[in-house]
Amino acid sequence: MNSFEKILTQYEPMISSCIRKLNIYKNHDLYKQAGRIALWKAWVKFDEAKGEFAPYAYRCIYGTILDELKKEKHVEETINPLEDEKLSFLLEHVLERSIQNEDLSLALEQLTTNERALILWIFVEGISLQQAATRAGITIPGIKKRRERMLRKLREMMQSKK
């Protein structure tokens, strides 16, 4: 086979195609690099007696990018619950403190019904974002956005009271 630089130039569109096919919309450089590494590994391991290089390279690139997506999802699922635990702890601490000054209860009353339900589900009941998304009938990223907006709103209300 040719040098790897020529192979990389030739198969770079295949890497981009795999990224598009998997609907990856962020961290493109990470997935392109994973695809390049997969292409290099395929180039090193390829045996001409077993068939064509292109389908083999495609399967290697696609599989590696898919594995990278799974890793990212796992990291996201393990790190975000830790953030939720921190927020839960802080919210409980603020709740204990607010019993004396009632600022938080006044701020909570100003939230919409959906925002109060989200607080109840995530911080009181302790359900996962997946379960909250199912209850609300929206996606996990939608729940995350709502949680961020609602917490920002609470912080702003609490700071304006001081």
Side-chain angles (χ1 to χ4, degrees):
M1 274 217 171
N2 302 332
S3 70
F4 181 70
E5 290 81 21
K6 290 181 183 176
I7 297 293
L8 179 60
T9 304
Q10 182 181 356
Y11 286 90
E12 193 77 32
M14 184 182 284
I15 294 169
S16 297
S17 171
C18 288
I19 290 171
R20 279 191 308 276
K21 189 170 186 175
L22 289 168
N23 296 320
I24 296 171
Y25 56 90
K26 60 182 180 179
N27 298 334
H28 282 226
D29 292 335
L30 172 75
Y31 296 107
K32 277 192 176 199
Q33 186 63 21
R36 291 176 186 131
I37 292 169
L39 179 64
W40 179 78
K41 287 180 180 179
W43 181 69
V44 169
K45 292 180 181 180
F46 179 66
D47 181 9
E48 289 183 18
K50 292 186 178 181
E52 297 282 323
F53 179 70
Y56 177 68
Y58 182 81
R59 284 191 312 272
C60 291
I61 293 167
Y62 190 87
T64 300
I65 293 174
L66 194 58
D67 289 343
E68 195 66 34
L69 269 173
K70 289 176 187 175
K71 283 182 203 172
E72 285 292 315
K73 183 178 180 190
H74 176 72
V75 166
E76 191 174 288
E77 287 175 351
T78 55
I79 289 176
N80 284 340
L82 290 177
E83 290 174 4
D84 287 344
E85 288 175 18
K86 289 177 190 174
L87 290 171
S88 178
F89 174 77
L90 291 173
L91 189 60
E92 288 172 11
H93 181 69
V94 169
L95 281 171
E96 290 171 6
R97 229 181 47 210
S98 72
I99 292 172
Q100 292 138 359
N101 60 19
E102 296 185 6
D103 285 345
L104 182 62
S105 61
L106 291 173
L108 287 172
E109 287 175 8
Q110 294 177 15
L111 295 177
T112 66
T113 307
N114 290 339
E115 291 170 333
R116 276 182 267 161
L118 186 60
I119 285 178
L120 179 71
W121 296 340
I122 294 175
F123 298 109
V124 178
E125 292 179 25
I127 67 171
S128 70
L129 292 177
Q130 174 66 48
Q131 292 168 324
T134 303
R135 282 187 187 181
I138 61 173
T139 63
I140 294 175
I143 281 291
K144 288 179 183 178
K145 270 229 188 275
R146 281 188 185 181
R147 181 189 65 194
E148 289 170 19
R149 272 189 252 126
M150 181 250 329
L151 288 172
R152 188 177 332 112
K153 189 175 175 181
L154 271 176
R155 280 188 206 106
E156 288 170 2
M157 283 189 260
M158 295 294 291
Q159 288 175 352
S160 68
K161 298 276 184 189
K162 288 181 181 179

